[in-house]
Amino acid sequence: MTRMTSFSDGTIVPVLGQGTWMIGDDPKTRDTEQQALSRGLDLGLSLIDTAELYGDGRAERLVGEVIQSHRDEVFLVSKIRPENAGEMTMMLHAEKSLERLGVDRIDLYLLHWESRFPMEEIVAGFEELIDEGMIARWGVSNLDLRAMNRLMEVEGGEHCATNQLLYNLGSRGIEFDLLPWQQEHLQPVMAYSPLGRGGLLEHPALLAVADRHDATPAQIALAAVLRQDGVVAIPKASTVAHVEANAAALEIELDHEDIEALDRAFPPPATAQPLDII
Ligand code: NAP
């Protein structure tokens, strides 16, 4: 079963995608990582998140090999490093990403985190890439609520499709204000590190809820993030077994008792929090 959500332009994407940070770095594990991403595509996890930063382009190259024969099925997300997002360099870096990915268009191109270049310049650069047909839409990552409000005042800023954010049970600050803001603006939150980079998975509360569902803690961590509307989770998995387990998390429905137990262990924010960033 694939659950979907939509961007404000009506484009539909699955709520569960695949991350690629730390993938493609080691020649010994490359084949296994490719098999994992391919299996994810078979299972409908067709949104793939990568970045020029990851392995200095190695992750984009690996993704490019995997999607070659599936280009039309894949919703491809990549990111530009903030120091490359000025008017003199953005197009060159987008071209390099396209080349490594082996595609002529990126579906969603993100500013990886806030830049010293003014947002006016960055938005104009993104819009030019759209005009050139190199990207279909653009968004940001790691911007807090204040920065998002500022972005909405920039000409064209309302075209921002998403804000990719750290969001998992151990990092719930955005539930107070930024997640509702993005839901209202029809800008899905792309939840990065939804498994807390693996660090959450030994937590006794997660183990207890997992037991009740005959599931794993990773699956419960994903189900917890995905129960919110307008969230796309992008776990990174480098084995077929992990990808299959993650896809199966879409079937899990947490009940009232589960949510209470998780809220006791990982309390939701009661006040505005500074944005968590990795
Ligand atoms: P994550 O997805 O929270 O966790 C990845 C870890 O969880 C890996 O060790 C992985 O192991 C393990 N794992 C995956 N599926 C599992 C399963 N079913 N059971 C047990 N363990 C499992 O961490 P992340 O890689 O930091 O975040 C995901 C993606 O978000 C990244 O890959 C990247 O695309 C994106 N991201 C974006 C930003 C940003 O600034 N925009 C920052 C960080 C991450 P294996 O590898 O062995 O499968």
Side-chain angles (χ1 to χ4, degrees), residues 217-277:
Q219 290 174 317
I220 301 300
L222 284 178
V225 163
L226 291 176
R227 91 191 156 84
Q228 304 281 358
D229 284 338
V231 169
V232 174
I234 47 167
K236 172 266 203 174
S238 33
T239 64
V240 166
H242 279 169
V243 168
E244 289 176 346
N246 293 345
L250 289 167
E251 312 288 341
I252 297 173
E253 275 186 42
L254 299 175
D255 64 20
H256 191 65
E257 198 182 322
D258 300 325
I259 290 161
E260 274 187 0
L262 293 173
D263 282 351
R264 271 194 304 277
F266 306 99
T271 56
Q273 309 285 315
L275 185 65
D276 285 343
I277 291 180

Side-chain angles (χ1 to χ4, degrees), residues 107-133:
D107 298 303
L108 175 60
Y109 198 40
L110 307 181
L111 175 68
H112 210 145
W113 61 90
E114 275 197 279
S115 170
R116 67 186 164 85
F117 295 110
M119 279 314 289
E120 285 77 2
E121 182 175 333
I122 295 170
V123 171
F126 278 142
E127 296 286 332
E128 193 183 345
L129 295 180
I130 291 178
D131 291 345
E132 293 292 325

